[in-house]
Amino acid sequence: MTHRTTNNIGPTSPIHLVWDWNGTMRDDLDDHVAALNATLPRIGGPRIDTATYRALHAVPIRGFYDALVGRTITDEEWSRSNAEFLDVLHRRPVRLRSGVRQLMLGLRAAGHRQSLLSLAPHERLLTEVATTGIGGLLERIDGRTGEPAHSKAPALAAHLAALGVEPGRALVIGDSLDDAVAAQEVGAVAVLHTGGLHSAERLAAAGTPLAGTLREAAERGIALLNTRQGTGR
């Protein structure tokens, strides 16, 4: 059975989209910079601008802090700074990227499945998503439940397994190099949005398809997966 549609998000067969949250669905780059500038100087770090954040942000986050401060921070400094950062970020209004809800509705109408995977704390993630009204369009929402991870790959593998989704029919839409690495490690396709937490120049180095909008990311990813299916890859 095929699904017909008048736009470019209808595939020959449905796929599963795994959305990232911060910097992707949630338009919060400025929020991240503000939260970091509210906490980093407390441990001797400098105030940074958006360009510096996008150029240096990396997982694990503790290593990102080390790089900005110029030394290895202590366990106590990390624990306090991370908690303060999250508190500041959590107090900022949640803003969805323009057109997200409409895009998700179109994807669902075309027969696609959708879920959300983030390395943000799970309970905070659920609260933030609930304020946007898009929770009903997502089959599963997973955030982290322990210490900040070194990679998103294990969480992505577990997320897809819990959903019963074959990685080869999964599209990861994110905004960071770690999204691309995680997708590659589990066998999924990734398309990266260039308006998020990592600069377009950094993302280009990953060799992963890039897109300036989330709609373009979905369209490119669907086309790639359909090509993969057609060639038997």
Side-chain angles (χ1 to χ4, degrees):
M1 178 178 178
T2 59
H3 294 257
R4 297 182 180 181
T5 183
T6 57
N7 56 37
N8 295 324
I9 59 176
T12 54
S13 62
I15 67 167
H16 189 100
L17 289 91
V18 180
W19 294 100
D20 173 57
W21 183 239
N22 297 110
T24 303
M25 300 185 88
R26 180 175 175 176
D27 187 1
D28 60 355
L29 172 60
D30 291 342
D31 298 334
H32 277 248
V33 175
L36 193 61
N37 283 332
T39 57
L40 194 66
R42 296 176 184 269
I43 55 174
R47 292 181 60 83
I48 66 169
D49 58 17
T50 297
T52 301
Y53 186 99
R54 299 185 82 209
L56 298 179
H57 176 268
V59 175
I61 298 299
R62 182 167 178 169
F64 176 42
Y65 273 63
D66 290 345
L68 292 173
V69 175
R71 61 177 173 83
T72 300
I73 63 176
T74 67
D75 291 345
E76 192 275 334
E77 287 175 323
W78 161 244
S79 179
R80 184 180 71 249
S81 297
N82 185 51
E84 290 175 347
F85 174 91
L86 291 172
D87 284 343
V88 173
L89 187 63
H90 190 60
R91 292 197 297 269
R92 308 276 288 200
V94 177
R95 302 185 311 276
L96 281 181
R97 199 167 294 280
S98 178
V100 166
R101 182 174 176 81
Q102 294 83 353
L103 174 58
M104 294 178 72
L105 286 167
L107 289 164
R108 184 173 70 171
H112 302 297
R113 301 168 62 188
Q114 300 172 77
S115 61
L116 174 61
L117 175 65
S118 173
L119 295 183
H122 183 68
E123 294 303 322
R124 289 180 184 269
L125 179 64
L126 292 179
T127 299
E128 291 174 1
V129 173
T131 69
T132 69
I134 64 170
L137 299 173
L138 297 162
E139 290 189 26
R140 187 178 179 91
I141 301 172
D142 282 327
R144 66 173 172 84
T145 56
E147 287 297 311
H150 288 259
S151 169
K152 201 172 189 177
L156 177 58
H159 183 77
L160 293 175
L163 286 160
V165 173
E166 289 292 330
R169 293 299 294 167
L171 167 62
V172 175
I173 297 181
D175 68 313
S176 72
L177 293 173
D178 191 50
D179 290 309
V181 171
Q184 182 179 24
E185 288 191 13
V186 305
V189 163
V191 178
L192 302 178
H193 177 249
T194 58
L197 304 186
H198 287 190
S199 68
E201 293 76 15
R202 290 181 70 194
L203 297 179
T208 301
L210 307 181
T213 67
L214 295 185
R215 173 170 288 278
E216 181 188 354
E219 291 176 348
R220 293 199 67 181
I222 289 167
L224 286 168
L225 280 166
N226 285 335
T227 299
R228 172 188 282 189
Q229 183 183 41
T231 59
R233 293 178 60 188

